[in-house]
Amino acid sequence: MIISSLSLHLATSPLPSEATGYGPIFEEEPVDVVYTEDSPDGRISMNCRARANPPAAYRWRRDNWEIKLMEQPDEHYSLVGGNLVISNPRQKKHAGTYICVAHNIYGTVISKEARVKFGCKNRGQVCVSYRWIFNEFPVFLNMDRRRFVSQRTGNLYISKVEAQDAGNYSCFVSSPVLGKSVFSKFIPLIPLPPDDERKYPADIRVKFPDTTALLASNITLECFALGNPIPHIVWRKVDATDLPANHEISESGAALHLYNVQYEDVGAYECEAINTKGKDWHKAWLYVECERLPRSGKGELKFSSLTFADSGMYQCIAENYWGIKYANAELRVIACAPTFEFNPLKKQLLGARDGRVLIECKPRAAPRPRFTWSKGKELLFNSSRISIMFDGTLEILNATKNDEGFYTCFAENDRGKANSSGYLTITEATSITVAPEDTEVTVGGEVVLACSASYDPMLDIAFIWAIDFRVIDFDAEWQHYERIMSQEGSGNLRIKNAQIWHEGRYTCTAQTVVDGDAAYADLKVVGQSACLSSQLLWTKGAEHNSPILSYTIQTRHFWSLHEDDWRNASTSPSFLDGTVERADVTDLYPWMEYQFRIIATNEYGSGEASIPSLKIKTWDAPPVVSPADVEGYGGRNGEIIITWTPVQPWYFYGKKFGYIVAFKPHDGYDWWYETISDPETRRYVHKDSFFLPGDEDFQVREFQVKIKTFNVKGDGPYSLTKVIYYPRDVPTEHPTDVYARPVSSTEALVWWLPVVDTGTGLQQYIEGYQVKYWRKYIDTEPGANRIFVNATVSQTRLENMLPDSHYLIEVRAFNGAGLGPPGEHCEMFTKRPPPAEPPRIQKKRFKEGQGELEADKKKSTSALLKIPPTFQVMFRKTGYIYGKVYVTGWHFMDFPMPQFGDYELMVRGRYEGGDGPVRTIKLLAPIGPLYRRQFSFPSLRLCFVVRHCNAWTTLVYRRLVKKQTSKTR
């Protein structure tokens, strides 16, 4: 067998390669379906497919009732492969919860539940989609940076109306659920004459609201702004460096999609609209709730002393008040002697001189074998240079020619032994002999970076080049990069038509199959092209028998979110008619890399865009944007902490971008200045004994703070001056109304009223709260558990508590100066833990004539718990999965006792802290006609006894038997 102890985590995993058969593994499970009775399809398909050998057979259940597809043909239900098809569905007959059951000779697995509903989709989801018709059907308006259709309201927004927008518009509404579409009357749009191309700042008009999403659902947040120039939309998650990994941005930045929403996605989301005239932003919260599905938890099935009989299909069923989930796995217990048949040692092994050599030894064996190694006839032992690792790998450090020879790995377990050998050859190390040198090149010029290496002649060598740690693809980037193999052992790099974006650190790596070496150099590109405007030239394309009416120039800069994130550019002249073949693109960001493309339009519409131009970079310039959200507070011992939101990179406008932080006391004359060179910095701490308040000072001192930006071209404007406060001491007030309640035997919730006023007329700065908890009379307060939460939070969850314990809870406010005073301690008891053992069953022999089973009378019942548990009893027929479930707080329960068939009773104790393990009782049917004539089994009584001293539950049950007579039953 493989191991003597195992913890089985139920999740599908690959089977051993030698396995010829295995139990069902779901590849597709049914999903929730919403159906409308006037749907043109007229049927519902519930998909179910499982991989199995031999192939799985399928059954379906609706609301836990078997659908008799084979025995009773149905006019509505049919089985296609494993899929359940419902023809002409009816709500009263077919709405409900469906489960697919797949089985073969190795076992049975049950799919997750899927619901069939009638009507529209779930609450909170949209049942229609919106599009707009332009002039005539079916010409639909294309969405771009300038135009956006909200799928929440259906409204059409145009950020900057142009002459080409003149026409008639109709709202087109379609329902994929109903299979129907309608459109409104046409609405004329007549643009006003241009007001000398008046520029105005970004103004957000489509704002996403606070949103609550179900766990694992998909949501879309919308944000769109008006403005001239057309605003650029940027999304971010507040208090996070990046958006969640499961996000996607579409509609030219106006829509943020979050897929498979999880609890960690909860938080505030912000969209910012930016153009050269100003910016606007909007923020709202996303909340995540769990509906119907059980909470995630850890449930392990552990084995000890595994035997072959433990092999088979296992299914974990997680259930709570909201629903049920399933997970499947197959356990296969194997045992075999070590064998190198599938993975022998390589006959020829290679290692580099003075390098590290690893020789793997991976036989197939169960249980895991013991490993030994030999070189020739010499047995190897661990030393400072040679080590045998846990997995059998042999490690040799600082290899020399003396390490060459035959190496043999021996593997042995209680089933047998085996070995495998290979010959190790030590080669000469690979080393860079000619390294690339730092070089300067002008834009459009050519440069060669040299790289040569020495290596063992019996090996092949390859040269790999990377720029800023990105490997260069010579096939895709042949226009600018070329590899030069001037002689053996050489791999020079030629850079042709150098552009500003070719500037960076170039790394040459000489690599063999054994080892490698690397060297790098910096390339500087000088003489940048372009400035804040750029002139474009083009030639007219095919007109297709209709004159070109106008051209549209689009740009894409370095910080574009997607490859297809093109935006209409501002041009001079503003309208490009079909006769022009050149134009100036204006309003470009300084020190920004751009590409351009052109779209031609005639009376039949717009054609395909041209191939993008080569990349150019505009000249640098002094910055014009200052940091936002400047805040701050005083810390401990004269510290001034200043925070801000960094400037977006497209506003850097040049190299060596940074910040200058200026601050002074409110009544002071001179400012202090500090230079911050990292553009991503968002916090600065200044410590000066001058700021330490004296006894004569007020409780809170005021400071003024402002920040400006700079680059190599000069300084930008200062931000607005912000007044911040320096607290003389720690917070003087404590949180009030601290209240806690237990959630389980190990967790609790605590909340409080936050600290607001200092008594000085100024708002006290609170950085956060410390929550401390410990067991009364048992734990010491200095060793208590501590949790720190943000000042915006007034509740938290306490974890890792001990069950059935008396806890004290303390909450304090804190800031940069330290902790404030504690309030009154809150006292709370955690819940009792679930029973550690299943109910115990003790039987006595069957008393003939009385038909009675009695409990063991030897143990005293005087130590009953003051608050006994409740009991959960499932009564089901043997071989069935589902049955009736009863819950009682009494110490006994009566059941009707059937006369035919075998049954099972599954009993567990339930404390407030959770459910205990299950004890199963087998109830066998009476055997023989004589037995049935003498006795009947009208009822079954279960009696429960809880004993406090040993913390276990005893189950006593009786069969009440009445003798049949001719007068009574």
Side-chain angles (χ1 to χ4, degrees):
M1 59 195 70
I2 300 178
I3 44 179
S4 59
S5 178
L6 175 82
S7 175
L8 180 62
H9 301 266
L10 285 178
T12 302
S13 57
L15 297 169
S17 59
E18 70 271 14
T20 58
Y22 51 90
I25 302 170
F26 279 117
E27 294 182 327
E28 185 176 12
E29 298 182 74
V31 296
D32 292 350
V33 174
V34 179
Y35 179 83
T36 56
E37 295 192 358
D38 58 352
S39 172
D41 194 15
R43 67 174 188 172
I44 297 173
S45 181
M46 308 282 287
N47 295 342
C48 182
R49 185 176 72 253
R51 185 174 73 254
N53 188 11
Y58 299 91
R59 302 196 307 270
W60 283 82
R61 295 177 183 153
R62 173 180 172 266
D63 296 336
N64 294 331
W65 287 90
E66 186 93 11
I67 300 176
K68 303 294 185 180
L69 295 171
M70 300 302 179
E71 299 88 340
Q72 303 174 7
D74 191 281
E75 62 176 333
H76 296 285
Y77 291 116
S78 59
L79 195 63
V80 180
N83 301 340
L84 178 67
V85 178
I86 310 174
S87 301
N88 301 317
R90 296 294 178 263
Q91 181 170 0
K92 291 185 178 180
K93 185 173 183 179
H94 300 116
T97 301
Y98 287 78
I99 293 175
C100 174
V101 181
H103 59 94
N104 69 2
I105 59 174
Y106 289 98
T108 301
V109 291
I110 301 174
S111 74
K112 65 181 181 182
E113 295 179 349
R115 292 186 175 181
V116 171
K117 297 181 179 180
F118 285 71
C120 195
K121 294 185 180 179
N122 294 332
R123 59 178 175 85
Q125 295 183 343
V126 179
C127 295
V128 296
S129 64
Y130 298 95
R131 300 174 70 186
W132 281 78
I133 301 172
F134 184 56
N135 286 332
E136 60 180 344
F137 185 85
V139 178
F140 290 101
L141 198 65
N142 293 326
M143 296 300 100
D144 53 25
R145 286 184 57 231
R146 212 167 50 82
R147 295 172 290 199
F148 175 70
V149 176
S150 170
Q151 294 303 312
R152 292 183 62 248
T153 63
N155 294 345
L156 168 64
Y157 297 86
I158 303 176
S159 65
K160 175 192 170 189
V161 177
E162 299 177 351
Q164 62 182 353
D165 297 321
N168 296 313
Y169 294 79
S170 171
C171 178
F172 183 84
V173 185
S174 61
S175 171
V177 175
L178 300 176
K180 295 180 179 179
S181 302
V182 295
F183 54 89
S184 69
K185 295 181 179 179
F186 279 91
I187 306 170
L189 173 62
I190 304 174
L192 296 175
D195 187 13
D196 296 328
E197 285 296 313
R198 182 177 63 87
K199 304 292 192 297
Y200 53 94
D203 179 16
I204 295 179
R205 293 299 181 92
V206 179
K207 300 180 179 181
F208 58 97
D210 288 344
T211 305
T212 300
L214 294 181
L215 184 67
S217 66
N218 304 330
I219 65 165
T220 298
L221 307 180
E222 296 180 340
C223 181
F224 188 75
L226 309 183
N228 184 17
I230 301 169
H232 172 70
I233 304 293
V234 178
W235 290 89
R236 63 177 64 90
K237 186 174 187 287
V238 179
D239 297 331
T241 56
D242 298 304
L243 288 168
N246 55 339
H247 85 278
E248 182 181 64
I249 296 176
S250 66
E251 304 298 334
S252 299
L256 171 64
H257 308 280
L258 297 178
Y259 301 103
N260 190 24
V261 173
Q262 300 298 311
Y263 288 118
E264 55 266 28
D265 298 331
V266 169
Y269 287 78
E270 183 179 77
C271 75
E272 186 177 34
I274 309 168
N275 66 9
T276 56
K277 299 299 292 181
K279 61 182 178 179
D280 190 12
W281 58 87
H282 169 69
K283 181 171 68 176
W285 277 81
L286 170 65
Y287 306 94
V288 177
E289 292 183 355
C290 175
E291 179 183 78
R292 192 170 66 83
L293 297 180
R295 287 178 51 198
S296 59
K298 186 176 182 181
E300 294 182 347
L301 176 61
K302 295 185 177 181
F303 295 81
S304 60
S305 302
L306 279 171
T307 66
F308 292 108
D310 294 318
S311 296
M313 294 297 301
Y314 289 83
Q315 188 164 38
C316 172
I317 303 176
E319 182 179 7
N320 68 4
Y321 175 81
W322 296 106
I324 187 169
K325 285 184 75 71
Y326 303 89
N328 313 312
E330 180 175 356
L331 171 64
R332 183 158 297 187
V333 180
I334 62 173
C336 66
T339 175
F340 286 92
E341 177 184 358
F342 303 100
N343 194 21
L345 263 69
K346 294 180 179 179
K347 297 303 179 184
Q348 295 295 328
L349 303 167
L350 297 174
R353 183 167 60 86
D354 298 327
R356 177 177 180 239
V357 179
L358 294 175
I359 308 177
E360 292 185 338
C361 180
K362 293 186 176 181
R364 176 169 294 173
R368 192 186 70 84
R370 298 176 296 278
F371 296 98
T372 55
W373 281 85
S374 69
K375 179 188 176 187
K377 296 183 179 180
E378 175 190 0
L379 193 63
L380 299 179
F381 298 96
N382 289 338
S383 65
S384 60
R385 217 169 55 84
I386 297 177
S387 300
I388 301 175
M389 299 182 180
F390 179 79
D391 63 354
T393 300
L394 178 67
E395 178 188 49
I396 304 174
L397 302 178
N398 302 320
T400 67
K401 283 289 186 180
N402 293 331
D403 292 316
E404 292 186 335
F406 279 101
Y407 287 80
T408 303
C409 175
F410 299 90
E412 180 179 1
N413 64 12
D414 57 4
R415 296 277 172 152
K417 61 179 68 175
N419 63 79
S420 183
S421 301
Y423 188 85
L424 174 63
T425 300
I426 302 299
T427 64
E428 292 298 321
T430 303
S431 177
I432 296 288
T433 56
V434 178
E437 297 180 351
D438 292 348
T439 308
E440 186 175 283
V441 65
T442 58
V443 170
E446 183 176 297
V447 67
V448 175
L449 300 180
C451 185
S452 299
S454 63
Y455 62 102
D456 195 295
M458 68 178 292
L459 303 176
D460 293 328
I461 191 170
F463 290 89
I464 303 168
W465 283 90
I467 173 175
D468 293 335
F469 307 103
R470 178 186 66 83
V471 176
I472 296 174
D473 186 342
F474 288 92
D475 292 332
E477 303 176 74
W478 60 271
Q479 292 179 323
H480 294 287
Y481 293 115
E482 179 184 354
R483 185 187 283 115
I484 305 174
M485 307 294 290
S486 58
Q487 59 185 5
E488 190 173 358
S490 173
N492 299 341
L493 172 67
R494 174 182 284 132
I495 304 174
K496 303 173 294 183
N497 188 22
Q499 298 297 315
I500 194 65
W501 62 90
H502 292 141
E503 186 172 287
R505 173 159 292 182
Y506 285 79
T507 303
C508 172
T509 303
Q511 185 70 52
T512 68
V513 294
V514 178
D515 66 339
D517 193 15
Y520 65 85
D522 292 326
L523 176 67
K524 183 178 181 181
V525 181
V526 296
Q528 296 107 302
S529 62
C531 53
L532 298 185
S533 65
S534 177
Q535 187 176 75
L536 295 186
L537 305 175
W538 65 90
T539 56
K540 184 179 297 186
E543 294 183 344
H544 290 172
N545 299 321
S546 178
I548 295 175
L549 300 178
S550 64
Y551 291 100
T552 301
I553 298 178
Q554 294 185 328
T555 65
R556 178 178 64 191
H557 62 65
F558 179 84
W559 296 103
S560 297
L561 300 177
H562 299 283
E563 283 293 320
D564 59 349
D565 196 6
W566 292 88
R567 295 146 189 196
N568 291 348
S570 298
T571 62
S572 178
S574 59
F575 179 76
L576 305 178
D577 62 40
T579 63
V580 302
E581 293 186 352
R582 69 171 60 196
D584 291 329
V585 181
T586 60
D587 295 331
L588 301 178
Y589 290 119
W591 203 60
M592 181 64 70
E593 183 179 284
Y594 281 94
Q595 280 183 290
F596 304 88
R597 71 179 188 182
I598 302 175
I599 299 174
T601 303
N602 62 15
E603 63 177 336
Y604 295 105
S606 298
E608 294 183 357
S610 67
I611 298 174
S613 69
L614 294 176
K615 296 178 180 177
I616 65 168
K617 194 166 189 177
T618 55
W619 289 106
D620 50 1
V624 297
V625 176
S626 59
D629 303 323
V630 177
E631 298 286 350
Y633 60 93
R636 186 190 304 271
N637 299 328
E639 291 178 344
I640 298 295
I641 296 95
I642 302 169
T643 62
W644 63 90
T645 299
V647 171
Q648 298 293 344
W650 46 86
Y651 292 123
F652 287 178
Y653 286 8
K655 292 184 178 179
K656 298 183 179 179
F657 180 88
Y659 307 99
I660 296 176
V661 181
F663 53 95
K664 71 178 183 67
H666 184 68
D667 54 354
Y669 181 77
D670 295 325
W671 291 81
W672 280 265
Y673 299 93
E674 290 292 337
T675 301
I676 309 295
S677 59
D678 183 1
E680 297 298 322
T681 302
R682 48 179 74 223
R683 186 173 186 265
Y684 170 71
V685 179
H686 181 83
K687 187 172 183 179
D688 196 321
S689 59
F690 179 84
F691 296 141
L692 286 172
D695 295 335
E696 70 280 0
D697 292 331
F698 291 104
Q699 177 72 16
V700 176
R701 296 180 64 187
E702 295 183 15
F703 284 80
Q704 292 181 345
V705 177
K706 59 183 180 180
I707 305 176
K708 69 177 179 179
T709 56
F710 71 91
N711 62 19
V712 293
K713 285 292 185 177
D715 294 349
Y718 273 111
S719 67
L720 296 176
T721 300
K722 178 72 175 182
V723 176
I724 66 173
Y725 301 100
Y726 182 96
R728 175 181 178 181
D729 202 351
V730 298
T732 58
E733 302 294 328
H734 59 75
T736 57
D737 292 345
V738 180
Y739 179 76
R741 66 174 178 85
V743 177
S744 66
S745 60
T746 60
E747 296 179 325
L749 286 176
V750 60
W751 55 92
W752 58 90
L753 292 181
V755 174
V756 175
D757 187 30
T758 64
T760 64
L762 295 172
Q763 184 177 8
Q764 177 169 266
Y765 185 86
I766 301 297
E767 188 172 346
Y769 297 94
Q770 173 195 270
V771 182
K772 186 167 64 174
Y773 56 101
W774 67 97
R775 289 182 298 171
K776 189 175 183 180
Y777 309 123
I778 299 177
D779 298 334
T780 60
E781 184 175 349
N785 294 300
R786 288 172 170 83
I787 296 176
F788 293 89
V789 298
N790 191 277
T792 60
V793 177
S794 60
Q795 66 175 12
T796 188
R797 179 183 290 267
L798 309 181
E799 300 178 338
N800 300 320
M801 307 177 81
L802 294 177
D804 200 13
S805 299
H806 186 181
Y807 272 84
L808 295 177
I809 302 172
E810 173 191 283
V811 183
R812 295 188 182 194
F814 70 87
N815 58 20
L819 291 168
E824 293 184 2
H825 290 162
C826 173
E827 299 190 24
M828 187 208 71
F829 289 84
T830 54
K831 294 183 178 182
R832 289 184 299 162
E837 296 181 5
R840 296 189 179 182
I841 304 173
Q842 304 193 5
K843 302 179 180 179
K844 270 200 170 185
R845 64 183 180 84
F846 188 85
K847 294 184 178 181
E848 203 168 331
Q850 298 179 0
E852 188 173 72
L853 292 177
E854 296 182 340
D856 184 0
K857 304 291 186 181
K858 294 181 181 180
K859 295 189 180 292
S860 170
T861 61
S862 61
L864 293 180
L865 288 175
K866 295 181 180 179
I867 305 177
T870 58
F871 294 88
Q872 183 188 67
V873 182
M874 175 181 278
F875 187 61
R876 70 182 185 188
K877 196 170 184 179
T878 301
Y880 283 68
I881 295 178
Y882 297 99
K884 292 187 177 180
V885 178
Y886 303 87
V887 178
T888 180
W890 295 92
H891 284 257
F892 65 91
M893 181 178 287
D894 293 337
F895 299 90
M897 180 61 187
Q899 298 186 24
F900 302 98
D902 299 338
Y903 282 77
E904 294 176 340
L905 282 168
M906 304 177 71
V907 187
R908 73 170 79 202
R910 305 185 71 181
Y911 282 77
E912 59 182 0
D915 294 344
V918 174
R919 176 74 71 186
T920 302
I921 307 169
K922 302 288 186 180
L923 302 177
L924 305 180
I927 306 299
L930 178 61
Y931 190 95
R932 290 197 201 92
R933 285 199 303 268
Q934 292 180 339
F935 300 97
S936 66
F937 294 82
S939 65
L940 173 71
R941 169 166 291 185
L942 297 180
C943 300
F944 314 99
V945 178
V946 182
R947 302 189 184 278
H948 179 68
C949 54
N950 292 322
W952 49 259
T953 304
T954 299
L955 170 65
V956 182
Y957 69 93
R958 296 181 178 181
R959 273 186 183 156
L960 303 181
V961 181
K962 294 184 180 180
K963 197 168 185 180
Q964 289 183 343
T965 65
S966 58
K967 296 182 179 180
T968 60
R969 294 186 64 186

